Amino acid sequence: MPAHPCTCLKRQCSKRALSVVSQCVQCVQLTGHVCDSLCLSHLSVKLSGCPMVSPEITLQYQNNNNNGHILDKEDVPAPVSNGDVQMTVSDLPRSPDTELPPQQEEEREAMLPGQPLETRLYRRRFVILGVFSLYSLLNAYQWIQYSIITSIFTQFYQVSSDKIDWLSVVYMVVYVPLIFPATWLLDNKGLRVTALLGSGLNCLGAWLKCASVRPDLFGVTMFAQTVCSVAQVFILGLPSQVASVWFGPKEVSTACATAVLGNQLGTAIGFLLPPVLVPKVDDDVELTGHNISIMFYGTAAVSTLLFVLTIAVFKEKPKIPPSQSQAVLQGEASKDYSYKISIMNLFKNVPFVLLLVSYGIMTGSFYSVSTLLNQMITFHYVDEEVNAGRIGLTLVLAGMVGSIVCGLWLDYSKTYKQTTLIVYILSFVGMLVFTFTLDLGNLIVVFVTGGVLGFFMTGYLPLGFEFAVEITYPESEGTSSGLLNASAQIFGILFTLAQGKLTTDYNPQAGNIFLCAWMFVGIILTALIKSDLKRHNINAGITKSELKPVPVQEEGFIIGSSQSSSAV
């Protein structure tokens, strides 16, 4: 009796897959059960050695091994669907002399098609998403609140503009070395601990800033901003994790986009409020210090409230998972997980590496534009700090709309690569238009082009997160998101310093052309990404397999089946 190979995918064995039945078609169609091996080691299974196969079936198989035909869908009387081909397995005969042990019988029942793992959605998910979005908002607000009024802080602290730029760049510098311990903490200690650290450090940094409102205390404000930047490490990687752990498959992309939207809204408020709260006052350091104090104390009060809410509402995960993919992952023993192996798997994943670089280029460009926007606007439009903030607000608000639109579209279409590539190209076009209309002397044009640029550039952020989760499943969402953010921070540092140098030595147009060149490289890399939507395939019950026809007995005649490869 020849052995038939188990066609289970390497990452979709019995401990992870929704159903081994759909992957072990030959054995299941012959016996109506899951083989004892459960495809644990991708071993070949001899039909004659299967305890559930009656001798009559074995003999019939041997006599008719070459007489099978392809099973058509219309031939199936009572379909049970878990893939490309529908099949009936309940009526297939078993050996009367053999019964499975209770534990294996439970496994068989749990793994049969038509009996998916239990899932449930909880209302608490909206509260968790709301609280996370708000403290993420506050962290982003603290990132940009210095650079949007660079001229005022340089006058107050008596430092150069590049020192104020470092109050923004420190967010990027701190993120890179801390991302690995932060993602390790998320994977090993969980969502709640990570959320508490992010919210708590954000609150601490806000209160430290209140003690730095004196011209000779620039070092204190730098330290406080560094604390806030450490908090960011425990915040930026959470959107896809919160969405996957708490939200169902039809809303996960929208939830991720909403979580990212909170961070974007914080940037928008950071563009809007500081120029209003701390207006430019010539030669009145005391009044400027008073205005800065109002801004800092207000931020500290709100961050304290959000820290208390985080303690109150954040839970590790729901009792019952929200989706089949989460049910599979949560069913695994934690001892089977290795953070080191997970990182290695991600770096061996070529599509993810391509996305890692292209995402870093796009998001790093956004960070650079946001940091240097004040200098770009005031270079061409003198004393227009307030309008510079409003242009930044327009850029981010348009991006928030773009994020929601993209999230809704992904939940509807699941066209991750196509959407990502189109948005990338349109961001590149928007950057070109913004670059060559900045010096026309018309602020209305800058508002419009900035809004178009923001819609696509900022709208890209949740696309990258969700695409990464799809092509790296079942690796941790926090780890993939953390690596994407680390890439963004590295490119953000390099782009901000390079673009700032070009802007100072030449003009804003030179710096923007530099970014355009890199974004074109990002388009090419995105086009090369192979789209394999692993998480979506699990939720949809689709698996990649390539099976040959195998004869099976049903109602006195021999049939065979074939299942073609399925990929999205």
Side-chain angles (χ1 to χ4, degrees):
M1 175 65 61
H4 76 267
C6 172
T7 54
C8 227
L9 290 180
K10 183 177 181 181
R11 302 300 299 175
Q12 294 177 339
C13 288
S14 62
K15 289 188 177 182
R16 304 195 85 113
L18 292 182
S19 176
V20 178
V21 171
S22 65
Q23 291 293 72
C24 220
V25 175
Q26 298 97 324
C27 182
V28 170
Q29 287 188 318
L30 188 63
T31 68
H33 78 285
V34 179
C35 280
D36 286 349
S37 71
L38 285 177
C39 311
L40 286 176
S41 303
H42 307 276
L43 299 175
S44 297
V45 181
K46 290 186 177 180
L47 294 175
S48 59
C50 183
M52 297 301 292
V53 181
S54 65
E56 291 81 4
I57 294 179
T58 301
L59 180 62
Q60 188 74 24
Y61 175 83
Q62 290 173 324
N63 292 335
N64 298 278
N65 193 31
N66 297 319
N67 297 327
H69 75 274
I70 302 300
L71 178 65
D72 294 323
K73 290 184 178 179
E74 56 266 24
D75 296 332
V76 184
V80 179
S81 177
N82 197 33
D84 293 334
V85 174
Q86 294 179 316
M87 64 195 75
T88 300
V89 297
S90 58
D91 295 328
L92 297 175
R94 296 184 183 179
S95 170
D97 302 325
T98 309
E99 291 293 335
L100 284 176
Q103 181 179 0
Q104 292 188 20
E105 183 67 26
E106 290 177 5
E107 290 177 346
R108 183 186 75 82
E109 294 296 332
M111 300 298 286
L112 281 174
Q115 298 185 31
L117 301 173
E118 182 182 6
T119 61
R120 179 179 174 184
L121 297 177
Y122 295 83
R123 292 180 181 177
R124 176 182 285 267
R125 70 190 189 278
F126 296 113
V127 180
I128 290 175
L129 181 63
V131 172
F132 169 77
S133 298
L134 287 174
Y135 78 73
S136 176
L137 176 155
L138 200 63
N139 184 260
Y141 166 77
Q142 294 194 80
W143 164 58
I144 207 68
Q145 67 181 166
Y146 290 99
S147 58
I148 196 58
I149 49 175
T150 298
S151 57
I152 295 173
F153 276 109
T154 54
Q155 184 181 9
F156 181 76
Y157 285 115
Q158 296 297 303
V159 294
S160 60
S161 61
D162 63 315
K163 293 275 188 11
I164 302 300
D165 287 344
W166 272 99
L167 289 168
S168 173
V169 174
V170 69
Y171 262 62
M172 309 173 205
V173 173
V174 167
Y175 191 92
V176 177
L178 293 183
I179 182 55
F180 292 106
T183 52
W184 178 89
L185 186 75
L186 176 61
D187 291 338
N188 288 274
K189 299 301 180 182
L191 189 61
R192 177 176 167 82
V193 172
T194 307
L196 289 175
L197 274 173
S199 183
L201 289 171
N202 203 42
C203 178
L204 176 61
W207 281 108
L208 288 173
K209 288 181 181 180
C210 297
S212 70
V213 188
R214 229 172 59 193
D216 60 334
L217 294 179
F218 178 77
V220 176
T221 209
M222 175 60 82
F223 175 73
Q225 187 75 337
T226 303
V227 173
C228 292
S229 66
V230 174
Q232 178 209 215
V233 181
F234 301 101
I235 294 173
L236 287 187
L238 260 61
S240 57
Q241 184 84 355
V242 171
S244 296
V245 170
W246 283 94
F247 287 82
K250 293 184 178 180
E251 57 189 12
V252 64
S253 295
T254 305
C256 181
T258 303
V260 174
L261 181 146
N263 198 267
Q264 296 169 5
L265 182 58
T267 305
I269 296 174
F271 282 126
L272 178 65
L273 275 186
V276 175
L277 296 176
V278 190
K280 191 171 184 179
V281 181
D282 293 329
D283 301 325
D284 195 338
V285 176
E286 185 176 346
L287 179 58
T288 301
H290 174 72
N291 293 334
I292 293 173
S293 292
I294 292 174
M295 180 173 69
F296 284 168
Y297 275 104
T299 304
V302 176
S303 65
T304 302
L305 174 63
L306 290 174
F307 181 51
V308 173
L309 287 175
T310 304
I311 295 173
V313 306
F314 248 85
K315 283 192 173 182
E316 179 61 32
K317 60 184 178 182
K319 292 181 180 179
I320 300 174
S323 65
Q324 293 294 317
S325 57
Q326 279 297 305
V328 169
L329 291 179
Q330 292 182 17
E332 268 200 330
S334 59
K335 64 181 180 181
D336 294 335
Y337 177 79
S338 168
Y339 178 70
K340 180 180 178 180
I341 293 176
S342 179
I343 293 290
M344 292 173 63
N345 288 338
L346 289 175
F347 280 108
K348 291 177 182 176
N349 186 328
V350 175
F352 175 72
V353 172
L354 292 173
L355 179 62
L356 189 68
V357 178
S358 61
Y359 182 90
I361 291 172
M362 174 67 81
T363 312
S365 299
F366 169 72
Y367 290 161
S368 183
V369 170
S370 300
T371 301
L372 301 171
L373 184 64
N374 176 272
Q375 297 176 44
M376 285 190 281
I377 300 301
T378 55
F379 183 92
H380 295 292
Y381 306 92
V382 182
D383 295 329
E384 289 288 356
E385 283 84 4
V386 173
N387 274 324
R390 290 171 180 168
I391 292 169
L393 174 66
T394 303
L395 187 149
V396 178
L397 288 179
M400 290 166 58
V401 176
S403 294
I404 293 299
V405 170
C406 291
L408 291 171
W409 174 250
L410 286 185
D411 279 331
Y412 172 75
S413 68
K414 303 300 180 183
T415 53
Y416 289 85
K417 178 179 176 178
Q418 297 92 321
T419 304
T420 301
L421 182 59
I422 290 171
V423 170
Y424 214 120
I425 293 172
L426 293 175
S427 298
F428 171 71
V429 173
M431 190 67 194
L432 284 174
V433 174
F434 178 78
T435 298
F436 292 103
T437 58
L438 187 61
D439 59 351
L440 293 181
N442 191 331
L443 274 173
I444 300 298
V445 174
V446 181
F447 271 96
V448 174
T449 56
V452 173
L453 176 64
F455 181 88
F456 295 111
M457 182 177 277
T458 315
Y460 171 84
L461 303 184
L463 292 179
F465 280 143
E466 284 298 289
F467 196 15
V469 173
E470 289 292 339
I471 63 178
T472 61
Y473 181 88
E475 305 301 338
S476 167
E477 298 91 346
T479 305
S480 61
S481 298
L483 290 175
L484 288 181
N485 282 315
S487 175
Q489 307 301 330
I490 292 171
F491 279 102
I493 295 168
L494 298 175
F495 287 174
T496 301
L497 296 177
Q499 188 185 11
K501 182 69 173 174
L502 290 170
T503 300
T504 302
D505 293 350
Y506 299 98
N507 53 53
Q509 189 176 90
N512 287 337
I513 291 174
F514 168 80
L515 293 183
C516 289
W518 276 99
M519 289 173 68
F520 183 76
V521 174
I523 291 174
I524 297 174
L525 295 177
T526 302
L528 295 174
I529 297 174
K530 180 182 178 181
S531 180
D532 183 10
L533 308 184
K534 299 175 183 177
R535 181 182 66 176
H536 169 65
N537 291 346
I538 287 293
N539 285 329
I542 302 171
T543 51
K544 288 177 67 177
S545 59
E546 188 171 342
L547 308 183
K548 296 180 179 179
V550 174
V552 183
Q553 175 173 320
E554 176 140 334
E555 297 184 358
F557 61 91
I558 301 298
I559 60 175
S561 74
S562 70
Q563 183 171 352
S564 61
S565 297
S566 173
V568 179

